[in-house]
Amino acid sequence: MAKQQQKRQFKKSNKPQKFRKSEVKDGMQITEFKVNQKGRAKKKRFMGRKVVPSKLLQKYSKGEGVELKTIGRKDSCVQNKMKKKEKKIKWAEEESARAEILLTESKGQLEAEEGTYTSHITQTEIKKAVDITSAAKSFDLNLDQFGPYKMQFTQNGRHLLLGGRKGHLASMDWITKKLHYEINVMESIHDVCWLHTEVMMAAAQKQWVYIYDNQGIELHCLKQMDRVLKLEFLPYHFLLCSGSESGFLNWLDVTLGKEVLRTPTHKGRLDVMCQNPYNAVLCCGHPNGTVTMWTPNAPEPVASILCHPHPVRAIDIDHTGMYMATVGVDRQMKIWDARNLGKCLQHYTISSGASNVAFSQKSLLSVAIGNIVEVYRNVTLGGTDHAYMRHKAGGIITDMQFCPYEDILGISTYKGYSSLIIPGSGEPNFDALEANPYISISGRKEAEVKALLSKVPAELITLDPLSIGQVDIPTLKEKLEAKKALLYVRKPKIDFTPRYRMKGKSGSSQKFKRKQKVREDTQREYLKRAYSQREELGLGKKKKKGEKPAEVLDRFKPKKKVTQS
Amino acid sequence: MSIKSINVLSRNPDHYMRETKYDIHKVQRNYDPTLHPFEASREYKLALNSVKLEKVFAKPFVGSLTHTEGVSALCRHPSRLSCVFTGTVEGELRLWDISHKKCEWTVQAHSGQIWSIVAAPDGNSFFTVGNDKTIKKWSLDKAKEGDHDLPIDTWLSDTIVTGISHHRHRNEFITCGERVLLWDASNKAPKFSYDWSTSGDRNDASVASIKFNPVETDLFASCDYANNIVLYDTRAKEVKKLKMTLRINALAWNPMEAFILTAASEDYNAYSYDIRKLNTPDQVVNIHKGHTAAVLDVDYSPTGREFCTASYDKSIRIFRTEEAHSRDVYHTKRMFKVSCVLWSGDNKFILSGSSDHNVRLWKSKSNEKMGIMRARERSAINYAEELKRKYGHFPAVRRIARHRHLPKHIYNAKNEQQIMRESRARKDANRLKYSTPGKKVHIPARQKVVVGLQDDGVVGFQDMDNMPGTSTN
């Protein structure tokens, strides 16, 4: 960066300068203008726009951009066009970095007094220390009849869905504590999942998956998904994904009610599953210790990693799609690079086999071990010996999730639900066009229409979500191999029906001859081309130097006598 | 208490919600890329939507102006947008107020067809030429009053006049017919006659269309029934004559790059010439294909970026100047053979006069929204345009953007001509392949249509007498 600035200044020095000097001081660009020629006027100091720090620019970077030298001739039309485009992108990056000053909220934090640990601070202590609205966010629901419970927050973190194994289904606005509905479906519930808004939710019941609205009315029964253990919803693709007891994965487009793909994993029960929020790929943990990644475009996994020598118990991916955390029965917790697969970044040994693991928006990691939940900081960088926070729940923890845009961790147990205050876990500044906790009903309706209009087709789910904006360049090696393959391919079959001709020219023998001629001609042409290509690549026979090509009449030339020495 | 400091996220809802229902909703933004996943694929989907919406809103037909006879000539006022003159094959002349679709004035101007109408550059008067060998000058002010039906001036010619073009500044105009005549408006006799027989060539033919160059104002071009395009200069006698394989029906100069001349040809194509390169073999800079019958008229948009053509195949097409295939094609069930076409001065409308007694008014951009727009709507449209540009090369997007519904007769004719073209190309390729090497050479399509050039300024460049198709006496 500094080098570039130097370069720019050097370049400008060739032109007649209007200002005397320009320097960066305390993050401000200060430019001294030249006084007019007679030197009467005072020196003016123009305080330029504040220079954006390079680290901040890096955050909003849209990539390196195009190397202009490689495109077209110098100062050609194409190059100038690209230059303009690059300039616009650079401007957009800079402006979005500058807009960070408008973000009002700051991240939560917790500090313990010297000599004590933050993990020793209890929830009651925290509740006493924080303001009354925050304290109200930490609460317990004592539901000891229909447990164990599964839970999920909506995309904007405003609503909570609870599903008890013994059929209890409830949804509520957990901030105002307003219950939307509470029913018993009179069947076992294995998992619950919100759909795109808080008015629709799916519950995996004993046999099939059912969809309910926000009054508890059953809208659909999805018989395509049977004996489901785990549900996931891809909000940008409108796909409801399920993993079943018989090991089948299923993607269902909820806008059309059509199944996109149903595929067997051949690896037993599918109760460990999560989505990668960065690229919408499904990750499944299996009893043989592997983690497989699936897209709805292929009946086999796009990636498969052996994570543990023992069954995988829980799995989660952080919202940037960079890190994957897996927990095995072998008391190991491992952090993986989710983009560069097969690279284990960190591994920790935990006190006993964990049942759940969850990343927060600010990359805190919570691990549920029996009835204890532990939250860790900086797990991806390693070096955390002890937990950031620890909490002992009333029962064995069955499900947990960090609430988006809040400093809250929700845990559901055999005996109910409780939400814990974990300072610094949530993203403080939301984007109202993506997820807005304070959205009005009309706003929600409008956002639903907009989201439906920009529904990403299921075919675009790949490991690299940016691949659609990139040029598909086959490597030189691939090109050469394709060329070589052409050489050894069989002569093409020519399907040719000769035209009907009068005067006895369309007898079967005549027709056959004509056919044969056309066939031979095209094949000859093809072989000629293949031969010349072979020669181009240097694969043909090598000619001896100085040898003339043989002519027809050469055979009458006197033969060379072999001279005896 | 072992807490030293604690800070928990706690938002005041008042900062994020509007105070009263009369306020607008507050929209908190955070441009952090991690909060906006699938940026590329969502943008792609939006591009796909916008190109589909473009099709949904593509309703180019605005209205029609009904006549009692087939329309043969159109002319727009040089400065008033709503003022348009039309002439019919029975000699009726009409003045229209386009914005109200109202006929303001009607007069029987000529006995027989009105061939051409042109407005004087000051906009106060306009000229018509008809089958009765007269050139008439009409006053716009008197026409606006209503019941006035006499021309303010009349010139007599000895032959039928089929075209007229007015000089950009001077009080001169030029007519064509069997002879090309330059007139001074203050004189009753022509000032000069451009006669081809003076240059030794006897095969004169009636000239179909004539146009003054809008920038190099002394230059003008004509096209005649002997397949020639002739370039004249009022200051000198030298002319250039380019012979084509088929007849040219109409000419138009590009108003912005006035060295580009576009011709509507009888062979279903329009040709663009660079008059600076007329002496070289690559004088044809572009062949604009697409029509399935003879092209009868051509007119440029005032921006010079696009032009439209009228054709005998009952359709009009819009071309970008640098592209070979049309951007859009307009047709209706009832529109018959289109004889004349006109692009409006504000670049928003196209008028087409056809033999079904109608002048039709079209939008020049079929999906454009007319009328005043809010800033939000305008920015949404601009965003959609940018998306279409950015993702225009994707196969799914391009397929939708390029598709045009065609009436059956055009669709079938197109397919038939495609077969004919392929067959011809195959034959040429075979001839080239099986002839003695070097004897036959490949001639590019742009050179194939030009027979030759005669240039009075350069002696002996190419001999017209040796050209095929010209009869020598």
Side-chain angles (χ1 to χ4, degrees):
Chain A
M1 194 64 196
K3 255 187 187 176
Q4 275 182 356
Q5 273 179 352
Q6 273 177 7
K7 247 186 191 176
R8 238 174 256 158
Q9 278 176 0
F10 175 71
K11 259 188 188 173
K12 275 183 182 171
S13 65
N14 293 339
K15 292 175 191 171
Q17 282 185 341
K18 279 184 185 167
F19 50 88
R20 192 169 273 168
K21 61 179 179 182
S22 168
E23 57 185 344
V24 178
K25 208 185 256 179
D26 309 332
M28 299 281 253
Q29 187 162 14
I30 295 163
T31 310
E32 277 183 35
F33 281 91
K34 266 187 183 176
V35 285
N36 63 1
Q37 289 179 338
K38 287 175 185 172
R40 279 176 210 157
K42 280 181 183 175
K43 277 182 190 176
K44 275 183 186 171
R45 290 198 125 201
F46 169 62
M47 313 293 252
R49 278 187 105 179
K50 196 172 180 184
V51 177
V52 185
S54 57
K55 208 175 177 185
L56 198 60
L57 272 181
Q58 194 67 34
K59 182 181 166 189
Y60 291 94
S61 167
K62 290 182 189 293
E64 283 174 4
V66 183
E67 205 174 311
L68 287 170
K69 278 179 190 171
T70 56
I71 298 169
R73 281 172 289 107
K74 200 187 171 191
D75 289 334
S76 62
C77 179
V78 185
Q79 211 175 66
N80 282 333
K81 256 187 201 171
M82 289 310 293
K83 218 182 263 178
K84 269 183 197 167
K85 211 175 224 177
E86 287 293 305
K87 217 175 169 184
K88 270 185 193 170
I89 294 168
K90 277 267 139 29
W91 178 82
E93 279 172 13
E94 203 182 305
E95 286 303 303
S96 45
R98 277 183 202 285
E100 198 154 86
I101 203 168
L102 301 172
L103 302 179
T104 48
E105 303 287 339
S106 56
K107 199 180 143 187
Q109 53 94 21
L110 174 67
E111 232 176 290
E113 272 174 8
E114 268 177 48
T116 55
Y117 294 111
T118 48
S119 57
H120 293 169
I121 299 170
T122 60
Q123 285 294 315
T124 40
E125 278 172 341
I126 288 176
K127 264 170 112 172
K128 273 181 198 163
V130 296
D131 59 307
I132 192 162
T133 45
S134 302
K137 285 174 188 169
S138 167
F139 62 98
D140 295 313
L141 296 177
N142 203 2
L143 310 159
D144 48 5
Q145 281 182 38
F146 302 106
Y149 277 90
K150 288 275 186 176
M151 53 136 323
Q152 200 183 32
F153 290 109
T154 48
Q155 287 279 306
N156 59 12
R158 188 67 195 243
H159 302 271
L160 173 69
L161 181 63
L162 287 172
R165 174 66 56 81
K166 297 193 182 84
H168 181 208
L169 188 66
S171 91
M172 61 187 287
D173 181 340
W174 70 270
I175 291 175
T176 58
K177 315 283 187 304
K178 185 182 162 238
L179 186 70
H180 295 316
Y181 74 92
E182 189 177 22
I183 54 168
N184 198 313
V185 297
M186 308 301 279
E187 240 181 5
S188 61
I189 291 179
H190 297 273
D191 199 10
V192 286
C193 178
W194 289 103
L195 298 191
H196 55 286
T197 57
E198 68 265 21
V199 291
M200 281 165 96
M201 60 219 74
Q205 296 180 17
K206 189 187 169 197
Q207 192 63 34
W208 293 304
V209 174
Y210 291 80
I211 291 180
Y212 296 93
D213 77 347
N214 62 346
Q215 289 166 310
I217 298 166
E218 182 190 318
L219 300 177
H220 299 285
C221 168
L222 306 174
K223 293 197 176 174
Q224 298 103 316
M225 298 177 161
D226 65 321
R227 293 157 51 104
V228 167
L229 295 177
K230 189 81 184 143
L231 283 171
E232 278 290 339
F233 183 72
L234 309 176
Y236 294 104
H237 303 79
F238 286 86
L239 293 177
L240 182 66
C241 322
S242 67
S244 78
E245 213 176 291
S246 49
F248 272 86
L249 264 179
N250 202 335
W251 284 265
L252 183 105
D253 190 331
V254 293
T255 58
L256 305 167
K258 263 189 188 165
E259 203 176 67
V260 177
L261 184 76
R262 180 185 166 83
T263 179
T265 54
H266 302 298
K267 286 198 173 92
R269 278 168 70 89
L270 274 181
D271 56 344
V272 179
M273 191 166 90
C274 80
Q275 63 165 301
N276 187 341
Y278 172 69
N279 55 14
V281 171
L282 278 191
C283 302
C284 301
H286 299 291
N288 64 355
T290 56
V291 168
T292 50
M293 298 191 176
W294 299 78
T295 68
N297 304 313
E300 61 274 335
V302 285
S304 167
I305 327 157
L306 181 67
C307 290
H308 297 273
H310 298 281
V312 179
R313 287 286 302 275
I315 178 170
D316 198 32
I317 293 181
D318 80 324
H319 79 301
T320 59
M322 286 208 272
Y323 304 106
M324 178 171 76
T326 59
V327 176
V329 180
D330 54 350
R331 291 177 28 200
Q332 289 278 322
M333 180 174 77
K334 290 183 179 175
I335 308 291
W336 301 83
D337 187 342
R339 295 181 297 185
N340 184 13
L341 296 170
K343 199 177 172 195
C344 181
L345 299 173
Q346 306 291 339
H347 60 94
Y348 305 96
T349 310
I350 43 181
S351 52
S352 68
S355 64
N356 266 300
V357 63
F359 270 109
S360 86
Q361 278 177 324
K362 286 286 174 195
S363 290
L364 300 188
L365 184 76
S366 71
V367 188
I369 307 156
N371 62 348
I372 292 168
V373 58
E374 284 181 347
V375 182
Y376 292 93
R377 274 190 297 199
N378 297 331
V379 276
T380 54
L381 302 171
T384 44
D385 298 335
H386 31 247
Y388 168 53
M389 293 195 78
R390 185 198 293 268
H391 177 76
K392 198 170 178 182
I396 292 170
I397 295 163
T398 47
D399 201 3
M400 66 178 175
Q401 192 194 356
F402 279 101
C403 180
Y405 310 108
E406 291 287 353
D407 279 347
I408 296 293
L409 171 68
I411 52 172
S412 63
T413 61
Y414 269 70
K415 288 183 178 171
Y417 165 84
S418 48
S419 61
L420 317 174
I421 297 177
I422 311 289
S425 69
E427 167 67 47
N429 296 292
F430 59 87
D431 190 298
L433 298 187
E434 293 282 353
N436 185 358
Y438 301 100
I439 201 159
S440 62
I441 290 171
S442 61
R444 186 192 70 209
K445 284 175 183 167
E446 201 158 303
E448 189 178 4
V449 172
K450 284 232 162 125
L452 277 168
L453 279 173
S454 61
K455 185 186 98 172
V456 183
E459 300 89 68
L460 296 183
I461 298 179
T462 48
L463 277 178
D464 181 12
L466 297 175
S467 59
I468 190 162
Q470 288 163 356
V471 184
D472 181 24
I473 307 168
T475 56
L476 184 67
K477 204 177 165 190
E478 279 168 18
K479 267 190 206 166
L480 280 177
E481 247 150 45
K483 222 173 187 182
K484 265 186 196 171
L486 187 78
L487 296 181
Y488 301 112
V489 95
R490 288 183 124 211
K491 292 172 290 184
K493 268 191 178 178
I494 285 101
D495 195 22
F496 170 70
T497 35
R499 208 159 22 146
Y500 181 76
R501 281 190 183 163
M502 303 284 278
K503 293 179 186 172
K505 283 182 179 172
S506 273
S508 59
S509 66
Q510 287 287 332
K511 234 179 182 175
F512 178 76
K513 270 181 197 167
R514 264 156 60 205
K515 219 178 192 176
Q516 195 73 1
K517 190 171 174 295
V518 171
R519 196 176 285 162
E520 277 168 5
D521 278 358
T522 33
Q523 281 176 352
R524 195 176 302 123
E525 189 91 319
Y526 172 80
L527 287 175
K528 232 187 233 173
R529 228 181 317 133
Y531 194 74
S532 66
Q533 245 175 36
R534 188 183 291 229
E535 227 135 70
E536 242 173 60
L537 289 174
L539 295 169
K541 280 182 189 172
K542 277 176 190 169
K543 278 180 190 171
K544 282 175 193 170
K545 269 185 184 175
E547 202 174 273
K548 277 182 187 174
E551 280 177 23
V552 180
L553 297 175
D554 279 356
R555 69 180 78 161
F556 301 112
K557 276 183 182 172
K559 275 168 194 158
K560 268 184 191 171
K561 280 175 188 173
V562 183
T563 48
Q564 288 178 344
S565 57
Chain B
M1 255 327 231
S2 62
I3 298 175
K4 190 178 174 193
S5 72
I6 184 163
N7 186 11
V8 179
L9 262 183
S10 162
R11 298 190 189 90
N12 186 353
D14 291 345
H15 296 161
Y16 298 95
M17 283 148 81
R18 57 180 181 174
E19 276 174 32
T20 65
K21 66 173 182 178
Y22 304 108
D23 296 342
I24 52 165
H25 286 286
K26 286 181 178 173
V27 177
Q28 166 87 11
R29 296 306 310 270
N30 185 355
Y31 298 103
D32 188 348
T34 53
L35 291 182
H36 302 271
F38 307 106
E39 197 185 2
S41 25
R42 280 159 80 188
E43 214 177 31
Y44 167 74
K45 183 67 206 289
L46 289 178
L48 206 60
N49 285 349
S50 58
V51 79
K52 282 177 186 169
L53 282 179
E54 182 188 309
K55 286 278 124 137
V56 171
F57 293 124
K59 292 196 170 67
F61 183 68
V62 179
S64 66
L65 317 172
T66 315
H67 293 68
T68 49
E69 283 302 326
V71 183
S72 57
L74 285 169
C75 169
R76 69 162 187 250
H77 191 274
S79 54
R80 288 183 204 168
L81 282 176
S82 64
C83 189
V84 163
F85 306 102
T86 59
T88 65
V89 290
E90 289 296 313
E92 198 181 40
L93 180 69
R94 284 180 184 229
L95 170 64
W96 291 89
D97 180 2
I98 291 292
S99 46
H100 298 103
K101 290 187 216 161
K102 206 175 84 189
C103 179
E104 292 197 321
W105 178 62
T106 315
V107 72
Q108 187 64 36
H110 294 270
S111 58
Q113 183 173 357
I114 293 182
W115 282 97
S116 179
I117 310 170
V118 71
D122 59 356
N124 293 329
S125 59
F126 51 98
F127 300 79
T128 58
V129 293
N131 244 359
D132 55 1
K133 302 182 186 176
T134 54
I135 305 157
K136 288 181 180 173
K137 184 183 181 185
W138 308 85
S139 163
L140 180 67
D141 296 333
K142 284 182 179 172
K144 286 259 179 196
E145 281 166 20
D147 53 339
H148 187 84
D149 57 353
L150 285 174
I152 51 172
D153 215 344
T154 308
W155 292 264
L156 293 175
S157 163
D158 50 350
T159 55
I160 290 176
V161 186
T162 56
I164 183 166
S165 180
H166 202 285
H167 192 276
R168 180 81 187 231
H169 316 296
R170 282 203 296 272
N171 207 6
E172 285 176 357
F173 56 89
I174 200 148
T175 61
C176 66
E178 280 175 43
R179 289 189 297 160
V180 173
L181 299 169
L182 178 66
W183 302 75
D184 194 329
S186 55
N187 256 331
K188 288 290 173 192
K191 195 177 165 191
F192 197 81
S193 168
Y194 293 88
D195 208 349
W196 266 102
S197 41
T198 52
S199 57
D201 184 8
R202 297 278 173 82
N203 46 56
D204 295 341
S206 198
V207 178
S209 169
I210 198 152
K211 285 279 160 71
F212 260 114
N213 190 316
V215 174
E216 200 61 54
T217 49
D218 289 317
L219 214 62
F220 63 96
S222 77
C223 57
D224 60 33
Y225 289 156
N227 310 350
N228 292 319
I229 292 174
V230 191
L231 208 62
Y232 309 81
D233 194 330
T234 55
R235 296 163 298 191
K237 267 194 82 180
E238 275 109 48
V239 289
K240 284 178 185 178
K241 195 170 180 180
L242 189 74
K243 189 155 187 94
M244 305 289 290
T245 48
L246 263 178
R247 199 177 115 186
I248 301 294
N249 285 321
L251 291 173
W253 291 97
N254 187 330
M256 285 293 148
E257 295 172 329
F259 46 86
I260 299 287
L261 178 68
T262 299
S265 172
E266 196 78 4
D267 62 0
Y268 313 170
N269 294 335
Y271 297 99
S272 286
Y273 308 89
D274 190 335
I275 58 160
R276 300 171 301 180
K277 295 185 197 163
L278 219 52
N279 288 2
T280 62
D282 49 352
Q283 64 272 85
V284 178
V285 285
N286 218 337
I287 302 177
H288 308 282
K289 293 173 188 168
H291 279 297
T292 55
V295 188
L296 298 182
D297 200 7
V298 57
D299 193 32
Y300 261 97
S301 80
T303 58
R305 307 289 288 273
E306 287 172 332
F307 64 85
C308 57
T309 55
S311 168
Y312 205 68
D313 66 5
K314 306 174 191 173
S315 69
I316 60 175
R317 277 178 190 266
I318 303 169
F319 291 89
R320 292 203 181 93
T321 44
E322 72 274 14
E323 283 173 15
H325 293 277
S326 62
R327 165 171 78 77
D328 214 336
V329 54
Y330 294 164
H331 53 84
T332 67
K333 257 182 187 169
R334 292 183 177 84
M335 186 159 77
F336 215 57
K337 284 138 193 178
V338 192
S339 52
C340 48
V341 73
L342 184 76
W343 205 302
S344 78
D346 60 348
N347 195 26
K348 285 203 164 167
F349 298 98
I350 293 170
L351 286 110
S352 69
S354 46
S355 51
D356 59 323
H357 306 190
N358 265 317
V359 167
R360 286 189 170 77
L361 187 63
W362 310 86
K363 284 190 256 180
S364 64
K365 227 176 138 241
S366 58
N367 63 319
E368 196 176 26
K369 189 175 181 276
M370 293 283 137
I372 302 162
M373 259 184 278
R374 282 187 180 185
R376 270 175 70 191
E377 198 174 1
R378 164 61 48 209
S379 70
I381 286 171
N382 287 346
Y383 179 56
E385 288 298 318
E386 185 57 39
L387 281 179
K388 276 182 259 178
R389 231 189 330 273
K390 191 172 175 187
Y391 289 89
H393 59 279
F394 275 68
V397 178
R398 195 172 51 186
R399 189 181 64 86
I400 297 168
R402 283 183 57 193
H403 177 261
R404 291 287 179 280
H405 170 75
L406 290 174
K408 219 172 206 175
H409 69 276
I410 294 181
Y411 182 77
N412 290 341
K414 201 181 96 185
N415 288 347
E416 197 182 331
Q417 283 164 20
Q418 175 69 19
I419 292 167
M420 284 155 72
R421 237 192 331 271
E422 274 170 10
S423 143
R424 240 173 269 141
R426 200 165 49 236
K427 193 166 187 177
D428 278 357
N430 281 342
R431 274 195 181 142
L432 204 66
K433 195 166 150 195
Y434 295 112
S435 59
T436 328
K439 208 169 188 183
K440 273 217 159 29
V441 285
H442 171 71
I443 306 167
R446 287 179 189 181
Q447 291 176 19
K448 237 181 229 175
V449 289
V450 178
V451 178
L453 177 95
Q454 184 186 5
D455 190 348
D456 278 6
V458 185
V459 181
F461 170 71
Q462 233 170 352
D463 200 353
M464 282 291 272
D465 291 341
N466 293 340
M467 283 178 196
T470 52
S471 62
T472 47
N473 197 359

